[in-house]
Amino acid sequence: MPYYMYIEKVLFPVTPGKISIKIENKNKTITLIDEGEVNLIKTPGLTDIQISELILPAIQKYPFANYLNDKFRNPEYYLNKLETWKKRKKPVQFKLSRTTPDGKNLLWDTNFDVTIEDYEIIEDAEKYGLDVCVKLNMKEYRVWGAKKLVIKKKKNSSKATATTKKVRSSKDTPKSYIVKKGDTLMKIAKKQLNDSSKWKSIYTLNKKTIQAEAKKREKPDNGHWIFPETKLKLPSGQVATGQMKEYGTAVGQLMDYGTEIGQGKQYS
């Protein structure tokens, strides 16, 4: 049964008489209380390929040897290939094919990417004559990837910059705020004061204004409502004045006399 061994589409003339292909095990055995030993099944490790004798004919073309396009090549050609594959730090394709005795039909083949781990060149005149023998060890290669950190640069600038979020300081805090559609006291406190819990201070400061505007719209005057275009003063600001439109925003659950104003529903 003819065998053909290729590495990176290079056909080696004499197929090794013995090739060891070992699939590494990564399973673990652990002992559980009252259960004894159990297996933890994990993804298999990388496959190791070991070739103890890879003969490279030196001066003669053996009848059992195979040459691509029937062209004889000396050992130096194959040794240079091994050196190149080892130095370039990239995987190579390993293929071992088995055919019918007449060589016409493929029975099965081993075909996957490997890395050249190490090899040993042996010259033994008593055993190999003028031929060269190579001991070759390879390991299965699995494709993997890592995320790259990309640093963006400003246009027309060679310096990389980082984007930071500006936090409003107490000096930048405005004295008043005009209510917009969709606002709640918590949203206003978060946006203008950097602290949503300060909605209570805004409510206390504007309690009469909020209640008066709600009463004009025939809504409960318990502070549950705020309306777009209403001008509210913020802590350390000046007294607000009220201006309304035909829609309002519910602030949420009121915390006045023991209840809490949360994030309210919107009404139009």
Side-chain angles (χ1 to χ4, degrees):
M1 180 185 296
Y3 282 71
Y4 301 92
M5 192 186 88
Y6 295 83
I7 299 179
E8 281 293 89
K9 298 182 180 180
V10 173
L11 176 62
F12 282 77
V14 181
T15 304
K18 180 181 179 181
I19 297 179
S20 172
I21 300 178
K22 182 181 179 181
I23 293 85
E24 294 291 344
N25 173 50
K26 292 298 180 180
N27 294 343
K28 288 188 177 181
T29 301
I30 61 174
T31 302
L32 301 178
I33 298 176
D34 298 330
E35 293 291 339
E37 290 187 334
V38 296
N39 283 342
L40 293 180
I41 301 177
K42 297 189 175 184
T43 302
L46 298 175
T47 298
D48 289 321
I49 302 98
Q50 295 182 342
I51 300 175
S52 57
E53 284 187 324
L54 180 60
I55 305 300
L56 304 175
I59 60 174
Q60 58 181 326
K61 189 175 180 181
Y62 297 118
F64 54 81
N66 301 294
Y67 293 95
L68 193 62
N69 299 324
D70 203 33
K71 183 178 180 180
F72 176 82
R73 296 184 184 277
N74 59 32
E76 184 180 7
Y77 170 80
Y78 301 99
L79 294 176
N80 286 340
K81 288 291 185 182
L82 289 172
E83 183 180 7
T84 299
W85 294 332
K86 178 65 176 175
K87 287 183 176 180
R88 75 179 185 180
K89 300 179 181 179
K90 291 184 179 180
V92 295
Q93 183 186 36
F94 171 72
K95 185 174 182 179
L96 184 66
S97 301
R98 293 89 163 168
T99 68
T100 54
D102 57 10
K104 294 182 179 180
N105 299 310
L106 178 67
L107 296 178
W108 74 90
D109 66 353
T110 299
N111 189 350
F112 54 90
D113 288 342
V114 299
T115 55
I116 305 295
E117 294 299 298
D118 56 75
Y119 60 92
E120 180 182 355
I121 302 170
I122 302 172
E123 294 190 65
D124 187 337
E126 183 177 347
K127 187 174 183 180
Y128 303 113
L130 296 176
D131 297 337
V132 175
C133 176
V134 175
K135 286 185 177 181
L136 177 62
N137 294 317
M138 298 177 288
K139 187 179 287 290
E140 177 189 7
Y141 176 80
R142 289 178 185 168
V143 178
W144 61 280
K147 293 183 178 180
K148 293 183 179 180
L149 177 63
V150 179
I151 300 177
K152 294 184 178 181
K153 295 182 179 180
K154 285 186 177 181
K155 292 182 179 180
N156 302 323
S157 174
S158 59
K159 294 182 179 180
T161 59
T163 302
T164 58
K165 184 177 180 181
K166 184 179 179 181
V167 179
R168 187 190 298 275
S169 66
S170 58
K171 294 182 180 180
D172 298 330
T173 303
K175 295 181 179 180
S176 61
Y177 177 80
I178 304 297
V179 178
K180 298 179 179 61
K181 185 177 181 180
D183 276 342
T184 67
L185 292 183
M186 293 184 79
K187 287 182 180 180
I188 295 171
K190 177 64 176 177
K191 183 177 180 181
Q192 301 299 321
L193 307 176
N194 298 317
D195 186 351
S196 60
S197 67
K198 291 185 178 180
W199 65 266
K200 300 175 185 178
S201 300
I202 299 176
Y203 172 70
T204 302
L205 207 57
N206 298 276
K207 183 174 180 180
K208 292 183 179 180
T209 300
I210 293 173
Q211 288 181 342
E213 298 303 333
K215 189 174 182 180
K216 290 179 182 179
R217 296 296 302 145
E218 297 183 354
K219 298 294 183 181
D221 61 356
N222 57 6
H224 191 77
W225 296 81
I226 59 174
F227 298 88
E229 300 301 327
T230 300
K231 187 175 182 181
L232 301 177
K233 67 177 180 179
L234 300 177
S236 299
Q238 297 178 355
V239 177
T241 60
Q243 295 179 343
M244 301 184 306
K245 281 191 175 180
E246 291 298 321
Y247 44 82
T249 304
V251 177
Q253 297 179 339
L254 173 65
M255 186 174 182
D256 188 18
Y257 304 106
T259 58
E260 177 183 359
I261 297 179
Q263 294 182 349
K265 298 181 179 178
Q266 298 180 14
Y267 294 84
S268 58

